[in-house]
Amino acid sequence: MFVERSIPVVLAIRSNQRGNVTVIESDNVMAGREAARHLLSLGHKSFGAILGPQDTSTAQSRYQGFQEQLEASGIVMDPSRVIWGTYT
């Protein structure tokens, strides 16, 4: 609607599926890593996660970063402690 009318549009946070709109997106992988680093710095050794919908790039990327940081620290999170839900 906006693009067809030549109205400038910028999306924040979510990936652009159409390819014709400017996107400003957070580095969600890095956000996941930073969350894990913070918890590790507090001395935590056992983890679980409550995430957004499994079919969203945002939730997947944050989980990926979290997992990567844990694995780099020699910790494997039990998959039964991961809950994919909604953002509500």
Side-chain angles (χ1 to χ4, degrees):
M1 178 173 142
F2 294 109
V3 174
E4 292 83 11
R5 294 181 180 179
S6 298
I7 298 171
V9 175
V10 176
L11 298 177
I13 301 175
R14 296 302 307 253
S15 295
N16 179 17
Q17 301 297 322
R18 295 192 179 120
N20 57 356
V21 176
T22 302
V23 176
I24 300 171
E25 187 172 14
S26 300
D27 185 338
N28 288 301
V29 174
M30 183 58 71
R33 286 186 190 131
E34 290 296 322
R37 273 191 206 118
H38 175 69
L39 294 171
L40 289 163
S41 76
L42 295 174
H44 297 288
K45 304 281 185 212
S46 180
F47 298 90
I50 301 172
L51 303 156
Q54 193 168 8
D55 63 347
T56 63
S57 61
T58 306
Q60 289 176 4
S61 294
R62 291 176 185 168
Y63 181 58
Q64 174 190 340
F66 195 81
Q67 286 282 78
E68 287 174 357
Q69 189 61 48
L70 291 183
E71 289 173 7
S73 301
I75 297 172
V76 176
M77 187 166 51
D78 180 349
S80 71
R81 298 182 84 186
V82 177
I83 298 170
W84 297 93
T86 65
Y87 288 121
T88 59

